[in-house]
Amino acid sequence: MTPFSPHLVAAAAALLGLLATAVAGGGTGAYTRVFSFGDSLTDTGNALHLPSTGGGGGPASRPPYGETFFRRPTGRASDGRLAVDFIVEALRLRHPAPYLAAGGETAAEFRHGVNFAVGGSTALPPEFYEGRGLKPFVPVSLANQTAWFDKVLQILGSSDHGRRKIMASSLFIVGEIGVNDYLVSLVGNLTVGEVETSVVPHIVAAIRSTVNEVIAAGATTVVVPGMIPLGCEPQLLALYQGGGGGGVAGDDYDPESGCMTRLNGLAEHHNRELRRAVAELRGAHPGASVVVAYADLYRAVADIVASPGRHGFGGAPLAACCGAGAGAYNFDMAAFCGAAGSTACADPSTYVSWDGVHFTEAANRHIACAVLEAGAPPAVSTAPMTWPAAAEAGRSRIGCS
Ligand SMILES: *[C@@H]1O[C@H](CO)[C@@H](O)[C@H](O)[C@H]1NC(C)=O
Ligand SMILES: *[C@@H]1O[C@H](CO)[C@@H](O)[C@H](O)[C@H]1NC(C)=O
């Protein structure tokens, strides 16, 4: 008898094959990279490279941004890591390359995933706003990000089969996107009612279109984060303080949280429509081969604001850590975080809002946990990529409660 019986060899070969599949993420659970789309809540360095913002300008390029983690400004709009950073940590993946920071020429640059999110980006294109006399902050919409994805797709693989294999083992995160659309609309004096009827449906359609594109390219796991509670944002609370501005009544506060109910209502409306779209997307891709999961960012943030102490935060969940103005919200547009006259709090980990617009690293961890908790329909246990299991393991890795 030879030391290697045919049976053993066959068994060993099968085991090696299994291991190889697992390592390559080709069908047994592990994701190999992340592709993300969105705005400043997800931008890890793209806006820095946008010529229209002065190329390298913007508060996030200056201290004290990055003071808690990275220990230098990286273009992230926070004192440290963003939710997407925690998600790749949780899944033990490399950080996806910010698309505009990469040279955009070689597959090697994008092999570990790509982050297409740009600070200031809207879901809807400039043409949508021009017709309404409104002006977006930057010339980037979800359509640009999707077009960049198509370019990356061509760069990554020459064969359709090869490309689809890469997409199938990747995690896609489409959003949060839409905050800037709402800011542009509200600052431009559209009423909340007008925004709900004439802007929300277009934003949800734009998100749905991007999800459809990535699925068409071979994506099998797409997480769609919803809208944050707009009415709890220090910037908007300060803007509408005293009843000023457009169609948002100033006296319309939730007595418990102090957040503005009309703006939170807009966010909840967005989320209802988005969840409906997610359900339809699942219906359009029946069976267990594609996971489309909705992530409840609204609840993640609203929970901290409602009971900050229970989640390890301090007693001022509606005040910016870094800013000026001293009022309840510590927000003054003229002395934005990093500008002359602004100061950062001593311990950002006790604040929800970093600069009145964006979250602290501590809050971003909670948001990442919400993304990793994103609900997938029960049938997905046989999906090629086991989203619920991978996400659950990742949650404990980054300390989600
Ligand atoms: C985004 O797309 C629009 C319209 O196609 C284009 O005008 C704009 O330059 C693009 N933005 C960037 C940063 O490429
Ligand atoms: C919005 O309304 C305020 C006052 O109600 C006005 O000062 C401001 O110019 C308006 N903004 C736009 C973009 O129309």
Side-chain angles (χ1 to χ4, degrees), residues 37-39 41-42 173-180 225-228 297:
F37 301 77
D39 52 34
L41 295 187
T42 310
I173 306 171
V174 181
E176 172 283 326
I177 185 85
V179 163
N180 292 309
M227 187 51 49
I228 57 170
L297 302 201

Side-chain angles (χ1 to χ4, degrees), residues 50 126-127 139-141 144 148:
L50 214 54
E127 304 86 73
V140 179
S141 69
N144 294 89
W148 296 338

Side-chain angles (χ1 to χ4, degrees), residues 191-233:
T191 66
V192 168
E194 286 166 345
V195 174
E196 287 188 354
T197 54
S198 67
V199 183
V200 172
H202 296 281
I203 292 177
V204 171
I207 295 170
R208 180 206 301 252
S209 153
T210 296
V211 173
N212 269 325
E213 283 224 24
V214 300
I215 291 174
T220 59
T221 310
V222 189
V223 177
V224 185
M227 187 51 49
I228 57 170
L230 297 166
C232 308
E233 284 277 290

